[in-house]
Amino acid sequence: MRITYKGDYALKTILDLSTHYGDAPITIHELAARADIPTKFLEQILLDLKRGGFVESRRGKIGGYLLARPPKEITLGEVIRFIDGPVEPINCLDKHYKGCKEVTRCVFRDIWQKVEKETANIIDSITFDDLVKKNKKFGSSLVYQI
Amino acid sequence: MRITYKGDYALKTILDLSTHYGDAPITIHELAARADIPTKFLEQILLDLKRGGFVESRRGKIGGYLLARPPKEITLGEVIRFIDGPVEPINCLDKHYKGCKEVTRCVFRDIWQKVEKETANIIDSITFDDLVKKNKKFGSSLVYQI
DNA sequence: GTATACTCTACTATTATGATAGACATTATA
DNA sequence: TATAATGTCTATCATAATAGTAGAGTATAC
């Protein structure tokens, strides 16, 4: 797993929207400013997240973005996989991967699978509701900080 | 952690050399052919591994490469970190990382640290001696396969 | 009808990755 | 001592991913 800026931004944005779940829509501009993300870049990320069913949008004057599902039902893992792809350390199962003709018999293979499993155990068991609570406990002003 | 081709090739090569630890040097050409690695690319990787103290070389007619240390004393984690860098999923502690001014208070931070720790637990506890034994058990002809 | 939002497509700059090329240095051995 | 077989070193290159930027278009509250 490698988390890109895009993934990092997506997580921070979903957390912001989770914190304001049930409230009025939040504009791209606000979301971008609060998390220090280039506005036009976030625009694209939000369109992706919309296509992924994570967020909804309202157009027009009092438009903005809303979480499409309750924070309790969105896990960290879902978002990461959607934005940054599979969580495995190496994609040697992919048919485009060179070498590794007999992947099923490779000594390294089950080590990477073990890493993937441990990673999944962590990120799939954390919901954005958990993160909102964790955040509030520390009373931070910034939505993505403790 | 993301393992690149370079990392993958390095691991396969160290495993090959581990399998032949104590024997005569093995040429780049042989190593490349056995693991299906572009020879000139492996050449560079071996120079890196030499600088890292993982392998030694012999020049001249019956030259080639040898493991610099016993397979029992080389872990998977050491090689991966040397070739592909830190094992963490995101490098937000790096001073060049944008955003995340208050990284110590970020809700995501300790999740990434947890992922890193679990990954390290796996890769730092496996030596190339372990892998050689695992390989032999399955009697594979290819050095990097089970 | 207009200001304020989201939408969509295209483009661009930079870096990492995965090599390839070729001249050079060393050494066993015939 | 010539030479063939080996490692050494530096430069270059092609492609893809990443991280944006630009600008014209569409919807909606007021």
Side-chain angles (χ1 to χ4, degrees), chain A residues 1 3 5 8 12 89 97-98 100 102 105 107 110 134 144-146, chain B residues 1 3 5 8 12 89 97-98 100 102 105 107 110 112 134 145-146:
Chain A
M1 176 170 59
I3 293 162
Y5 274 99
D8 186 28
K12 285 170 176 170
Y97 199 86
K98 284 164 281 186
C100 300
E102 277 194 88
R105 292 158 50 79
V107 264
D110 65 296
K134 197 171 165 187
Y144 56 87
Q145 294 188 341
I146 295 176
Chain B
M1 174 169 61
I3 294 161
Y5 273 100
D8 186 29
K12 286 170 176 169
Y97 199 85
K98 284 164 281 186
C100 301
E102 278 194 88
R105 291 156 52 78
V107 264
D110 65 295
W112 308 143
K134 196 171 163 187
Q145 295 187 339
I146 294 175

PDB file of all heavy atoms in Angstrom, chain A residues 1 3 5 8 12 89 97-98 100 102 105 107 110 134 144-146, chain B residues 1 3 5 8 12 89 97-98 100 102 105 107 110 112 134 145-146:
ATOM      1  N   MET A   1       0.837  -1.212   0.000  1.00  0.00           N
ATOM      2  CA  MET A   1       0.000   0.000   0.000  1.00  0.00           C
ATOM      3  C   MET A   1       0.865   1.253   0.000  1.00  0.00           C
ATOM      4  O   MET A   1       1.804   1.376   0.777  1.00  0.00           O
ATOM      5  CB  MET A   1      -0.883   0.025   1.245  1.00  0.00           C
ATOM      6  CG  MET A   1      -1.722   1.305   1.359  1.00  0.00           C
ATOM      7  SD  MET A   1      -2.977   1.278   2.633  1.00  0.00           S
ATOM      8  CE  MET A   1      -2.029   0.997   4.103  1.00  0.00           C
ATOM      9  N   ILE A   3      -0.018   5.378  -0.035  1.00  0.00           N
ATOM     10  CA  ILE A   3      -1.060   6.400  -0.066  1.00  0.00           C
ATOM     11  C   ILE A   3      -0.534   7.651  -0.747  1.00  0.00           C
ATOM     12  O   ILE A   3       0.445   8.249  -0.302  1.00  0.00           O
ATOM     13  CB  ILE A   3      -1.553   6.703   1.355  1.00  0.00           C
ATOM     14  CG1 ILE A   3      -2.258   5.460   1.885  1.00  0.00           C
ATOM     15  CG2 ILE A   3      -2.495   7.902   1.363  1.00  0.00           C
ATOM     16  CD1 ILE A   3      -2.418   5.437   3.357  1.00  0.00           C
ATOM     17  N   TYR A   5      -0.996  11.625  -2.494  1.00  0.00           N
ATOM     18  CA  TYR A   5      -1.633  12.873  -2.077  1.00  0.00           C
ATOM     19  C   TYR A   5      -3.136  12.795  -2.345  1.00  0.00           C
ATOM     20  O   TYR A   5      -3.937  13.219  -1.523  1.00  0.00           O
ATOM     21  CB  TYR A   5      -1.049  14.071  -2.839  1.00  0.00           C
ATOM     22  CG  TYR A   5       0.197  14.636  -2.198  1.00  0.00           C
ATOM     23  CD1 TYR A   5       1.462  14.308  -2.672  1.00  0.00           C
ATOM     24  CD2 TYR A   5       0.102  15.491  -1.112  1.00  0.00           C
ATOM     25  CE1 TYR A   5       2.603  14.828  -2.082  1.00  0.00           C
ATOM     26  CE2 TYR A   5       1.236  16.017  -0.511  1.00  0.00           C
ATOM     27  CZ  TYR A   5       2.489  15.685  -0.999  1.00  0.00           C
ATOM     28  OH  TYR A   5       3.618  16.196  -0.407  1.00  0.00           O
ATOM     29  N   ASP A   8      -4.657  10.792   0.385  1.00  0.00           N
ATOM     30  CA  ASP A   8      -4.576  11.568   1.610  1.00  0.00           C
ATOM     31  C   ASP A   8      -5.665  12.641   1.623  1.00  0.00           C
ATOM     32  O   ASP A   8      -6.407  12.794   2.600  1.00  0.00           O
ATOM     33  CB  ASP A   8      -3.175  12.206   1.698  1.00  0.00           C
ATOM     34  CG  ASP A   8      -2.928  12.912   3.014  1.00  0.00           C
ATOM     35  OD1 ASP A   8      -3.536  12.517   4.037  1.00  0.00           O
ATOM     36  OD2 ASP A   8      -2.139  13.872   3.042  1.00  0.00           O
ATOM     37  N   LYS A  12      -9.017  12.999   4.162  1.00  0.00           N
ATOM     38  CA  LYS A  12      -9.249  14.204   4.963  1.00  0.00           C
ATOM     39  C   LYS A  12     -10.609  14.820   4.633  1.00  0.00           C
ATOM     40  O   LYS A  12     -11.311  15.317   5.520  1.00  0.00           O
ATOM     41  CB  LYS A  12      -8.131  15.222   4.703  1.00  0.00           C
ATOM     42  CG  LYS A  12      -6.823  14.840   5.377  1.00  0.00           C
ATOM     43  CD  LYS A  12      -5.665  15.722   4.916  1.00  0.00           C
ATOM     44  CE  LYS A  12      -4.387  15.391   5.680  1.00  0.00           C
ATOM     45  NZ  LYS A  12      -3.206  16.049   5.089  1.00  0.00           N
ATOM     46  N   PRO A  89       1.380  -5.030  -1.252  1.00  0.00           N
ATOM     47  CA  PRO A  89       2.657  -4.362  -1.476  1.00  0.00           C
ATOM     48  C   PRO A  89       3.218  -4.542  -2.884  1.00  0.00           C
ATOM     49  O   PRO A  89       4.027  -3.744  -3.336  1.00  0.00           O
ATOM     50  CB  PRO A  89       3.585  -4.995  -0.451  1.00  0.00           C
ATOM     51  CG  PRO A  89       2.946  -6.259  -0.042  1.00  0.00           C
ATOM     52  CD  PRO A  89       1.487  -6.126  -0.274  1.00  0.00           C
ATOM     53  N   TYR A  97       2.123  -8.299 -14.892  1.00  0.00           N
ATOM     54  CA  TYR A  97       3.387  -8.317 -14.153  1.00  0.00           C
ATOM     55  C   TYR A  97       4.372  -9.262 -14.828  1.00  0.00           C
ATOM     56  O   TYR A  97       4.070 -10.435 -15.064  1.00  0.00           O
ATOM     57  CB  TYR A  97       3.162  -8.742 -12.704  1.00  0.00           C
ATOM     58  CG  TYR A  97       4.317  -8.351 -11.802  1.00  0.00           C
ATOM     59  CD1 TYR A  97       4.375  -7.090 -11.224  1.00  0.00           C
ATOM     60  CD2 TYR A  97       5.368  -9.231 -11.553  1.00  0.00           C
ATOM     61  CE1 TYR A  97       5.430  -6.710 -10.417  1.00  0.00           C
ATOM     62  CE2 TYR A  97       6.434  -8.863 -10.754  1.00  0.00           C
ATOM     63  CZ  TYR A  97       6.462  -7.606 -10.189  1.00  0.00           C
ATOM     64  OH  TYR A  97       7.520  -7.228  -9.399  1.00  0.00           O
ATOM     65  N   LYS A  98       5.564  -8.719 -15.121  1.00  0.00           N
ATOM     66  CA  LYS A  98       6.583  -9.526 -15.781  1.00  0.00           C
ATOM     67  C   LYS A  98       7.223 -10.485 -14.787  1.00  0.00           C
ATOM     68  O   LYS A  98       7.296 -10.196 -13.600  1.00  0.00           O
ATOM     69  CB  LYS A  98       7.658  -8.616 -16.387  1.00  0.00           C
ATOM     70  CG  LYS A  98       7.221  -7.937 -17.662  1.00  0.00           C
ATOM     71  CD  LYS A  98       8.131  -6.780 -18.004  1.00  0.00           C
ATOM     72  CE  LYS A  98       7.781  -5.551 -17.155  1.00  0.00           C
ATOM     73  NZ  LYS A  98       8.545  -4.348 -17.557  1.00  0.00           N
ATOM     74  N   CYS A 100       7.614 -14.035 -12.626  1.00  0.00           N
ATOM     75  CA  CYS A 100       6.622 -14.648 -11.752  1.00  0.00           C
ATOM     76  C   CYS A 100       5.585 -15.480 -12.501  1.00  0.00           C
ATOM     77  O   CYS A 100       4.382 -15.346 -12.278  1.00  0.00           O
ATOM     78  CB  CYS A 100       5.906 -13.601 -10.927  1.00  0.00           C
ATOM     79  SG  CYS A 100       7.027 -12.678  -9.890  1.00  0.00           S
ATOM     80  N   GLU A 102       5.122 -18.579 -12.223  1.00  0.00           N
ATOM     81  CA  GLU A 102       4.498 -19.536 -11.309  1.00  0.00           C
ATOM     82  C   GLU A 102       4.271 -18.919  -9.933  1.00  0.00           C
ATOM     83  O   GLU A 102       4.806 -19.378  -8.930  1.00  0.00           O
ATOM     84  CB  GLU A 102       5.384 -20.777 -11.165  1.00  0.00           C
ATOM     85  CG  GLU A 102       5.176 -21.773 -12.277  1.00  0.00           C
ATOM     86  CD  GLU A 102       5.815 -23.109 -11.911  1.00  0.00           C
ATOM     87  OE1 GLU A 102       5.137 -23.926 -11.272  1.00  0.00           O
ATOM     88  OE2 GLU A 102       7.000 -23.299 -12.224  1.00  0.00           O
ATOM     89  N   ARG A 105       3.674 -20.611  -6.596  1.00  0.00           N
ATOM     90  CA  ARG A 105       4.716 -21.363  -5.926  1.00  0.00           C
ATOM     91  C   ARG A 105       5.870 -20.466  -5.451  1.00  0.00           C
ATOM     92  O   ARG A 105       6.910 -20.962  -5.033  1.00  0.00           O
ATOM     93  CB  ARG A 105       5.267 -22.440  -6.869  1.00  0.00           C
ATOM     94  CG  ARG A 105       4.246 -23.537  -7.169  1.00  0.00           C
ATOM     95  CD  ARG A 105       4.572 -24.279  -8.468  1.00  0.00           C
ATOM     96  NE  ARG A 105       5.937 -24.749  -8.562  1.00  0.00           N
ATOM     97  CZ  ARG A 105       6.416 -25.841  -7.964  1.00  0.00           C
ATOM     98  NH1 ARG A 105       5.592 -26.578  -7.252  1.00  0.00           N
ATOM     99  NH2 ARG A 105       7.667 -26.189  -8.106  1.00  0.00           N
ATOM    100  N   VAL A 107       8.077 -18.225  -3.082  1.00  0.00           N
ATOM    101  CA  VAL A 107       8.270 -18.128  -1.621  1.00  0.00           C
ATOM    102  C   VAL A 107       7.865 -16.773  -1.056  1.00  0.00           C
ATOM    103  O   VAL A 107       7.520 -16.657   0.122  1.00  0.00           O
ATOM    104  CB  VAL A 107       9.738 -18.302  -1.161  1.00  0.00           C
ATOM    105  CG1 VAL A 107       9.998 -19.705  -0.751  1.00  0.00           C
ATOM    106  CG2 VAL A 107      10.725 -17.785  -2.157  1.00  0.00           C
ATOM    107  N   ASP A 110       3.338 -15.592  -0.317  1.00  0.00           N
ATOM    108  CA  ASP A 110       2.473 -15.599   0.867  1.00  0.00           C
ATOM    109  C   ASP A 110       2.923 -14.623   1.940  1.00  0.00           C
ATOM    110  O   ASP A 110       2.162 -14.267   2.827  1.00  0.00           O
ATOM    111  CB  ASP A 110       2.288 -17.009   1.424  1.00  0.00           C
ATOM    112  CG  ASP A 110       3.568 -17.592   1.939  1.00  0.00           C
ATOM    113  OD1 ASP A 110       4.484 -17.794   1.121  1.00  0.00           O
ATOM    114  OD2 ASP A 110       3.656 -17.830   3.159  1.00  0.00           O
ATOM    115  N   LYS A 134     -12.727  10.088  17.627  1.00  0.00           N
ATOM    116  CA  LYS A 134     -11.329  10.222  18.038  1.00  0.00           C
ATOM    117  C   LYS A 134     -10.888  11.684  17.941  1.00  0.00           C
ATOM    118  O   LYS A 134     -10.212  12.209  18.824  1.00  0.00           O
ATOM    119  CB  LYS A 134     -10.483   9.375  17.075  1.00  0.00           C
ATOM    120  CG  LYS A 134      -9.083   9.057  17.533  1.00  0.00           C
ATOM    121  CD  LYS A 134      -8.478   8.036  16.571  1.00  0.00           C
ATOM    122  CE  LYS A 134      -6.981   7.925  16.708  1.00  0.00           C
ATOM    123  NZ  LYS A 134      -6.397   7.062  15.646  1.00  0.00           N
ATOM    124  N   TYR A 144      -9.249  17.178  10.356  1.00  0.00           N
ATOM    125  CA  TYR A 144      -8.558  15.916  10.122  1.00  0.00           C
ATOM    126  C   TYR A 144      -7.489  15.643  11.166  1.00  0.00           C
ATOM    127  O   TYR A 144      -6.690  14.734  11.044  1.00  0.00           O
ATOM    128  CB  TYR A 144      -7.954  15.870   8.718  1.00  0.00           C
ATOM    129  CG  TYR A 144      -7.034  17.011   8.421  1.00  0.00           C
ATOM    130  CD1 TYR A 144      -5.699  16.930   8.766  1.00  0.00           C
ATOM    131  CD2 TYR A 144      -7.499  18.168   7.816  1.00  0.00           C
ATOM    132  CE1 TYR A 144      -4.850  17.969   8.495  1.00  0.00           C
ATOM    133  CE2 TYR A 144      -6.657  19.207   7.548  1.00  0.00           C
ATOM    134  CZ  TYR A 144      -5.333  19.104   7.885  1.00  0.00           C
ATOM    135  OH  TYR A 144      -4.480  20.122   7.639  1.00  0.00           O
ATOM    136  N   GLN A 145      -7.496  16.482  12.184  1.00  0.00           N
ATOM    137  CA  GLN A 145      -6.491  16.246  13.224  1.00  0.00           C
ATOM    138  C   GLN A 145      -7.148  15.772  14.496  1.00  0.00           C
ATOM    139  O   GLN A 145      -8.329  15.963  14.714  1.00  0.00           O
ATOM    140  CB  GLN A 145      -5.732  17.546  13.493  1.00  0.00           C
ATOM    141  CG  GLN A 145      -4.912  17.951  12.291  1.00  0.00           C
ATOM    142  CD  GLN A 145      -4.011  19.117  12.597  1.00  0.00           C
ATOM    143  OE1 GLN A 145      -4.241  19.833  13.556  1.00  0.00           O
ATOM    144  NE2 GLN A 145      -2.994  19.289  11.804  1.00  0.00           N
ATOM    145  N   ILE A 146      -6.376  15.159  15.334  1.00  0.00           N
ATOM    146  CA  ILE A 146      -6.899  14.672  16.613  1.00  0.00           C
ATOM    147  C   ILE A 146      -7.275  15.855  17.503  1.00  0.00           C
ATOM    148  O   ILE A 146      -6.446  16.716  17.729  1.00  0.00           O
ATOM    149  CB  ILE A 146      -5.839  13.809  17.341  1.00  0.00           C
ATOM    150  CG1 ILE A 146      -5.571  12.550  16.537  1.00  0.00           C
ATOM    151  CG2 ILE A 146      -6.305  13.433  18.723  1.00  0.00           C
ATOM    152  CD1 ILE A 146      -4.486  11.694  17.092  1.00  0.00           C
TER     153      ILE A 146
ATOM    154  N   MET B   1       4.187   0.525   2.083  1.00  0.00           N
ATOM    155  CA  MET B   1       5.225  -0.192   1.337  1.00  0.00           C
ATOM    156  C   MET B   1       4.744  -0.501  -0.069  1.00  0.00           C
ATOM    157  O   MET B   1       3.647  -0.992  -0.275  1.00  0.00           O
ATOM    158  CB  MET B   1       5.561  -1.501   2.038  1.00  0.00           C
ATOM    159  CG  MET B   1       6.525  -2.377   1.273  1.00  0.00           C
ATOM    160  SD  MET B   1       7.174  -3.763   2.201  1.00  0.00           S
ATOM    161  CE  MET B   1       5.700  -4.681   2.608  1.00  0.00           C
ATOM    162  N   ILE B   3       6.537  -2.489  -3.335  1.00  0.00           N
ATOM    163  CA  ILE B   3       7.728  -3.154  -3.848  1.00  0.00           C
ATOM    164  C   ILE B   3       7.812  -2.979  -5.356  1.00  0.00           C
ATOM    165  O   ILE B   3       6.917  -3.389  -6.089  1.00  0.00           O
ATOM    166  CB  ILE B   3       7.716  -4.641  -3.461  1.00  0.00           C
ATOM    167  CG1 ILE B   3       7.851  -4.749  -1.954  1.00  0.00           C
ATOM    168  CG2 ILE B   3       8.836  -5.397  -4.154  1.00  0.00           C
ATOM    169  CD1 ILE B   3       7.411  -6.044  -1.385  1.00  0.00           C
ATOM    170  N   TYR B   5       9.831  -3.291  -9.205  1.00  0.00           N
ATOM    171  CA  TYR B   5      10.544  -4.350  -9.915  1.00  0.00           C
ATOM    172  C   TYR B   5      11.974  -4.459  -9.374  1.00  0.00           C
ATOM    173  O   TYR B   5      12.495  -5.549  -9.175  1.00  0.00           O
ATOM    174  CB  TYR B   5      10.592  -4.063 -11.416  1.00  0.00           C
ATOM    175  CG  TYR B   5       9.387  -4.578 -12.168  1.00  0.00           C
ATOM    176  CD1 TYR B   5       8.346  -3.729 -12.513  1.00  0.00           C
ATOM    177  CD2 TYR B   5       9.279  -5.918 -12.516  1.00  0.00           C
ATOM    178  CE1 TYR B   5       7.229  -4.200 -13.202  1.00  0.00           C
ATOM    179  CE2 TYR B   5       8.176  -6.404 -13.207  1.00  0.00           C
ATOM    180  CZ  TYR B   5       7.158  -5.530 -13.539  1.00  0.00           C
ATOM    181  OH  TYR B   5       6.058  -6.007 -14.215  1.00  0.00           O
ATOM    182  N   ASP B   8      11.847  -6.307  -6.182  1.00  0.00           N
ATOM    183  CA  ASP B   8      11.510  -7.698  -6.465  1.00  0.00           C
ATOM    184  C   ASP B   8      12.740  -8.443  -6.994  1.00  0.00           C
ATOM    185  O   ASP B   8      13.079  -9.542  -6.532  1.00  0.00           O
ATOM    186  CB  ASP B   8      10.375  -7.713  -7.498  1.00  0.00           C
ATOM    187  CG  ASP B   8       9.841  -9.108  -7.775  1.00  0.00           C
ATOM    188  OD1 ASP B   8       9.907  -9.964  -6.879  1.00  0.00           O
ATOM    189  OD2 ASP B   8       9.356  -9.349  -8.906  1.00  0.00           O
ATOM    190  N   LYS B  12      14.889 -11.601  -5.235  1.00  0.00           N
ATOM    191  CA  LYS B  12      15.092 -12.868  -5.938  1.00  0.00           C
ATOM    192  C   LYS B  12      16.579 -13.186  -6.081  1.00  0.00           C
ATOM    193  O   LYS B  12      17.000 -14.347  -5.960  1.00  0.00           O
ATOM    194  CB  LYS B  12      14.433 -12.824  -7.316  1.00  0.00           C
ATOM    195  CG  LYS B  12      12.908 -12.923  -7.242  1.00  0.00           C
ATOM    196  CD  LYS B  12      12.274 -12.631  -8.585  1.00  0.00           C
ATOM    197  CE  LYS B  12      10.751 -12.832  -8.502  1.00  0.00           C
ATOM    198  NZ  LYS B  12      10.078 -12.317  -9.710  1.00  0.00           N
ATOM    199  N   PRO B  89       3.214   3.417   4.761  1.00  0.00           N
ATOM    200  CA  PRO B  89       2.315   3.627   3.629  1.00  0.00           C
ATOM    201  C   PRO B  89       2.286   5.058   3.114  1.00  0.00           C
ATOM    202  O   PRO B  89       1.914   5.316   1.982  1.00  0.00           O
ATOM    203  CB  PRO B  89       0.938   3.246   4.177  1.00  0.00           C
ATOM    204  CG  PRO B  89       1.058   3.280   5.649  1.00  0.00           C
ATOM    205  CD  PRO B  89       2.484   3.063   5.990  1.00  0.00           C
ATOM    206  N   TYR B  97       6.816  16.854   2.822  1.00  0.00           N
ATOM    207  CA  TYR B  97       5.403  16.524   2.623  1.00  0.00           C
ATOM    208  C   TYR B  97       4.540  17.748   2.858  1.00  0.00           C
ATOM    209  O   TYR B  97       4.623  18.384   3.906  1.00  0.00           O
ATOM    210  CB  TYR B  97       4.966  15.389   3.552  1.00  0.00           C
ATOM    211  CG  TYR B  97       3.694  14.726   3.077  1.00  0.00           C
ATOM    212  CD1 TYR B  97       3.744  13.717   2.136  1.00  0.00           C
ATOM    213  CD2 TYR B  97       2.452  15.128   3.562  1.00  0.00           C
ATOM    214  CE1 TYR B  97       2.583  13.113   1.681  1.00  0.00           C
ATOM    215  CE2 TYR B  97       1.285  14.529   3.105  1.00  0.00           C
ATOM    216  CZ  TYR B  97       1.361  13.516   2.170  1.00  0.00           C
ATOM    217  OH  TYR B  97       0.205  12.925   1.713  1.00  0.00           O
ATOM    218  N   LYS B  98       3.704  18.071   1.861  1.00  0.00           N
ATOM    219  CA  LYS B  98       2.829  19.244   1.967  1.00  0.00           C
ATOM    220  C   LYS B  98       1.657  18.928   2.897  1.00  0.00           C
ATOM    221  O   LYS B  98       1.249  17.806   3.034  1.00  0.00           O
ATOM    222  CB  LYS B  98       2.309  19.635   0.584  1.00  0.00           C
ATOM    223  CG  LYS B  98       3.353  20.342  -0.260  1.00  0.00           C
ATOM    224  CD  LYS B  98       2.946  20.371  -1.722  1.00  0.00           C
ATOM    225  CE  LYS B  98       3.228  19.030  -2.398  1.00  0.00           C
ATOM    226  NZ  LYS B  98       2.974  19.043  -3.849  1.00  0.00           N
ATOM    227  N   CYS B 100      -0.338  18.686   6.543  1.00  0.00           N
ATOM    228  CA  CYS B 100       0.087  17.958   7.738  1.00  0.00           C
ATOM    229  C   CYS B 100       1.103  18.717   8.589  1.00  0.00           C
ATOM    230  O   CYS B 100       2.121  18.151   8.978  1.00  0.00           O
ATOM    231  CB  CYS B 100       0.664  16.612   7.360  1.00  0.00           C
ATOM    232  SG  CYS B 100      -0.487  15.586   6.466  1.00  0.00           S
ATOM    233  N   GLU B 102       0.649  19.716  11.560  1.00  0.00           N
ATOM    234  CA  GLU B 102       0.637  19.186  12.916  1.00  0.00           C
ATOM    235  C   GLU B 102       0.483  17.666  12.912  1.00  0.00           C
ATOM    236  O   GLU B 102      -0.472  17.120  13.454  1.00  0.00           O
ATOM    237  CB  GLU B 102      -0.504  19.804  13.718  1.00  0.00           C
ATOM    238  CG  GLU B 102      -0.159  21.165  14.280  1.00  0.00           C
ATOM    239  CD  GLU B 102      -1.181  21.563  15.329  1.00  0.00           C
ATOM    240  OE1 GLU B 102      -0.970  21.207  16.503  1.00  0.00           O
ATOM    241  OE2 GLU B 102      -2.172  22.196  14.965  1.00  0.00           O
ATOM    242  N   ARG B 105      -0.640  15.363  15.687  1.00  0.00           N
ATOM    243  CA  ARG B 105      -2.008  15.364  16.166  1.00  0.00           C
ATOM    244  C   ARG B 105      -2.996  14.843  15.127  1.00  0.00           C
ATOM    245  O   ARG B 105      -4.208  14.953  15.296  1.00  0.00           O
ATOM    246  CB  ARG B 105      -2.404  16.781  16.587  1.00  0.00           C
ATOM    247  CG  ARG B 105      -1.675  17.280  17.838  1.00  0.00           C
ATOM    248  CD  ARG B 105      -1.620  18.805  17.897  1.00  0.00           C
ATOM    249  NE  ARG B 105      -2.913  19.442  17.747  1.00  0.00           N
ATOM    250  CZ  ARG B 105      -3.838  19.536  18.705  1.00  0.00           C
ATOM    251  NH1 ARG B 105      -3.584  19.036  19.900  1.00  0.00           N
ATOM    252  NH2 ARG B 105      -4.992  20.124  18.491  1.00  0.00           N
ATOM    253  N   VAL B 107      -5.315  12.340  13.140  1.00  0.00           N
ATOM    254  CA  VAL B 107      -5.992  11.065  13.445  1.00  0.00           C
ATOM    255  C   VAL B 107      -5.506   9.899  12.619  1.00  0.00           C
ATOM    256  O   VAL B 107      -5.607   8.747  13.039  1.00  0.00           O
ATOM    257  CB  VAL B 107      -7.527  11.105  13.215  1.00  0.00           C
ATOM    258  CG1 VAL B 107      -8.261  11.402  14.488  1.00  0.00           C
ATOM    259  CG2 VAL B 107      -7.913  11.996  12.091  1.00  0.00           C
ATOM    260  N   ASP B 110      -1.444   7.658  13.511  1.00  0.00           N
ATOM    261  CA  ASP B 110      -1.099   6.424  14.234  1.00  0.00           C
ATOM    262  C   ASP B 110      -1.667   5.182  13.565  1.00  0.00           C
ATOM    263  O   ASP B 110      -1.247   4.056  13.833  1.00  0.00           O
ATOM    264  CB  ASP B 110      -1.483   6.515  15.714  1.00  0.00           C
ATOM    265  CG  ASP B 110      -2.963   6.615  15.922  1.00  0.00           C
ATOM    266  OD1 ASP B 110      -3.531   7.630  15.495  1.00  0.00           O
ATOM    267  OD2 ASP B 110      -3.544   5.680  16.487  1.00  0.00           O
ATOM    268  N   TRP B 112      -1.367   4.804  10.257  1.00  0.00           N
ATOM    269  CA  TRP B 112      -0.268   4.460   9.327  1.00  0.00           C
ATOM    270  C   TRP B 112       0.911   3.850  10.086  1.00  0.00           C
ATOM    271  O   TRP B 112       1.584   2.937   9.592  1.00  0.00           O
ATOM    272  CB  TRP B 112       0.212   5.689   8.537  1.00  0.00           C
ATOM    273  CG  TRP B 112      -0.883   6.451   7.848  1.00  0.00           C
ATOM    274  CD1 TRP B 112      -0.967   7.803   7.702  1.00  0.00           C
ATOM    275  CD2 TRP B 112      -2.050   5.917   7.194  1.00  0.00           C
ATOM    276  NE1 TRP B 112      -2.113   8.138   7.014  1.00  0.00           N
ATOM    277  CE2 TRP B 112      -2.796   6.999   6.694  1.00  0.00           C
ATOM    278  CE3 TRP B 112      -2.545   4.620   6.992  1.00  0.00           C
ATOM    279  CZ2 TRP B 112      -3.999   6.837   6.009  1.00  0.00           C
ATOM    280  CZ3 TRP B 112      -3.740   4.453   6.317  1.00  0.00           C
ATOM    281  CH2 TRP B 112      -4.449   5.540   5.830  1.00  0.00           C
ATOM    282  N   LYS B 134      12.538 -22.951   3.075  1.00  0.00           N
ATOM    283  CA  LYS B 134      11.164 -23.015   2.588  1.00  0.00           C
ATOM    284  C   LYS B 134      11.156 -23.463   1.124  1.00  0.00           C
ATOM    285  O   LYS B 134      10.346 -24.302   0.715  1.00  0.00           O
ATOM    286  CB  LYS B 134      10.562 -21.608   2.700  1.00  0.00           C
ATOM    287  CG  LYS B 134       9.054 -21.529   2.617  1.00  0.00           C
ATOM    288  CD  LYS B 134       8.625 -20.112   2.959  1.00  0.00           C
ATOM    289  CE  LYS B 134       7.206 -19.819   2.520  1.00  0.00           C
ATOM    290  NZ  LYS B 134       6.856 -18.391   2.720  1.00  0.00           N
ATOM    291  N   GLN B 145      11.391 -19.677  -6.231  1.00  0.00           N
ATOM    292  CA  GLN B 145      10.053 -20.249  -6.056  1.00  0.00           C
ATOM    293  C   GLN B 145      10.062 -21.307  -4.972  1.00  0.00           C
ATOM    294  O   GLN B 145      11.092 -21.855  -4.627  1.00  0.00           O
ATOM    295  CB  GLN B 145       9.587 -20.857  -7.372  1.00  0.00           C
ATOM    296  CG  GLN B 145       9.401 -19.789  -8.440  1.00  0.00           C
ATOM    297  CD  GLN B 145       8.785 -20.361  -9.687  1.00  0.00           C
ATOM    298  OE1 GLN B 145       8.859 -21.569  -9.906  1.00  0.00           O
ATOM    299  NE2 GLN B 145       8.177 -19.515 -10.487  1.00  0.00           N
ATOM    300  N   ILE B 146       8.898 -21.565  -4.442  1.00  0.00           N
ATOM    301  CA  ILE B 146       8.767 -22.584  -3.400  1.00  0.00           C
ATOM    302  C   ILE B 146       9.010 -23.962  -3.986  1.00  0.00           C
ATOM    303  O   ILE B 146       8.378 -24.323  -4.959  1.00  0.00           O
ATOM    304  CB  ILE B 146       7.352 -22.549  -2.777  1.00  0.00           C
ATOM    305  CG1 ILE B 146       7.150 -21.253  -2.038  1.00  0.00           C
ATOM    306  CG2 ILE B 146       7.156 -23.716  -1.828  1.00  0.00           C
ATOM    307  CD1 ILE B 146       5.775 -21.082  -1.494  1.00  0.00           C
TER     308      ILE B 146
END
